[in-house]
Amino acid sequence: MPRIAVAGAGIGGLAAALALAEVGCAVDVYERAGTLDAVGAGVQLSPNASLVLRRLGVLDELGPAAVESSEVLMRRARDGAVLARVPLGPAAAARYGAPFLSALRADLQAALLARVALRPAIALHLGRAVEGYEGSGRGVALRFADGAAAADGLVGADGIRSAVRRQMTGAGDASASTRSAFRASVPRAAADPDALVPRSNLWLGRGAHLVHYPVDGGRRVNVVAIVDEGAPTGGAETWSQPAEAAAVERRFAGWAPPARRLIAAAPDWRRWPLLDRPPLPRWSDGAVTLLGDAAHPMLPFLAQGAAQSIEDAAVLADAVARCGGDLPAAFRAYEGLRRPRTSRVQAQSAKQGRVYHLGPPASLARDIVLSTLGPARLAARVDWLYDAPAEVRRFAGTRTSAPAPTPT
Ligand SMILES: Cc1cc2nc3c(=O)[nH]c(=O)nc-3n(C[C@H](O)[C@H](O)[C@H](O)COP(=O)(O)OP(=O)(O)OC[C@H]3O[C@@H](n4cnc5c(N)ncnc54)[C@H](O)[C@@H]3O)c2cc1C
């Protein structure tokens, strides 16, 4: 049984630990933080990810805390006109074999940890920051400030500022984009009925967009307001800072009343400068590989960063299960399958941000296209993303049920 070290106990690291344990590995998860506090309020889990979470038993743990979205409702910021409805709910669950869910990050983390606790093969080491590693052939020595540990392989799931990636590729941290996300969580009692409908809402305005969806079994609404700042946003020193409510309200002043009311109902805001980085040319070196944001950070406009890290976990475990104990071969195979997929999602996420923030006249053309496509063609346009690739399904034990894509 190979012993694999995972650096980082975020969504990606915990999913990887569970998936690797599932295929018979012993896993040591080393997490820098002394306690695990979920950051950021909500997370959308598209079917390509929920399929894997179901296989890992995490959906059972989440239970009704996760809200199933019935649709993505796209509206124009100025007047609230409905531009498009992408059907989700039972239609998406049948099409992709798994539901589209929204959850509090704290609930997802608790569900992952509950499954980790059931696995004697996984040891979680808190307050242990991986500083680097030696040897990447057969066997790796991990370095900490206060000692070392040995493993047969190392998975760097240590996030956007990954120490493992820095050592492996020499690549610097992801750079600041020109956008910020403002995040808030609105209690049910303060939210309009419009915001409590179990769906994913997307409002498109010039230089900004707004996303909101119910979480916590419908007891809260997660709100993410993304704005163009006009210049590169701050780096580490401004990460997840409190933000002034009046400034957010001013930025959305000209928007339709339901959007403005939801923004005004937010008790407090936090600002996240959004980071970006083009795909890495490689992310494995012998018995060391990367996963999640450490490998492929992406702008959040397709809501896929966590989902892709969960797909990574499934494909990594499947590759390890098939490698006959040759971890460098497994990690090469994993990277070979994952890099094209995640590079595409990175590129599409960036493009989506540009399309969302268009101003007139380009926004008028966009809105006409959106409102004439119709639900079936809109659904077909997201098949490439929500219909999990074969290598993810192999781990999840399901086959695709989406029809062949229709030309758009
Ligand atoms: C505004 C916004 C909205 C988003 N919405 C969605 C969404 O709806 N759906 C979705 O799928 N994705 C979404 N994402 C993306 C998603 O949050 C991330 O892609 C995902 O959380 C990355 O998970 P990860 O495990 O790779 O990294 P992280 O969550 O960053 O976890 C890394 C872990 O490693 C630890 N660590 C760091 N350095 C070390 C070290 N040296 N040694 C040991 N441990 C270390 C950290 O403490 C942390 O616990 C969103 C992102 C943003 C900014």
Side-chain angles (χ1 to χ4, degrees), residues 2 137-138 319-320 322-332:
R138 293 181 195 273
V320 169
R322 290 161 177 271
C323 75
D326 184 349
L327 288 183
F331 290 179
R332 267 196 313 278

Side-chain angles (χ1 to χ4, degrees), residues 8 10-12 30-32 43-44 105 129-130 157-158 293 303-307:
I11 294 170
Y30 296 100
E31 165 58 45
R32 178 180 57 188
V43 62
Q44 299 184 86
R105 279 168 192 257
V130 176
D158 47 345
D293 277 7
Q304 281 293 310

Side-chain angles (χ1 to χ4, degrees), residues 219 236 240 254 350 369 387:
R219 286 179 286 276
S240 186
V369 170
D387 194 22

Side-chain angles (χ1 to χ4, degrees), residues 158-226:
D158 47 345
I160 202 157
R161 299 175 206 283
S162 167
V164 180
R165 185 209 61 232
R166 215 172 302 127
Q167 175 172 343
M168 183 196 294
T169 67
D173 283 336
S175 54
S177 73
T178 54
R179 301 202 175 119
S180 288
F182 293 86
R183 309 175 81 167
S185 181
V186 176
R188 182 184 180 87
D192 261 12
D194 172 78
L196 295 170
V197 177
R199 67 181 171 219
S200 191
N201 297 272
L202 175 61
W203 298 75
L204 305 185
R206 181 182 202 152
H209 73 279
L210 179 71
V211 176
H212 60 92
Y213 46 86
V215 288
D216 191 16
R219 286 179 286 276
R220 304 192 75 82
V221 178
N222 187 64
V223 189
V224 186
I226 292 175

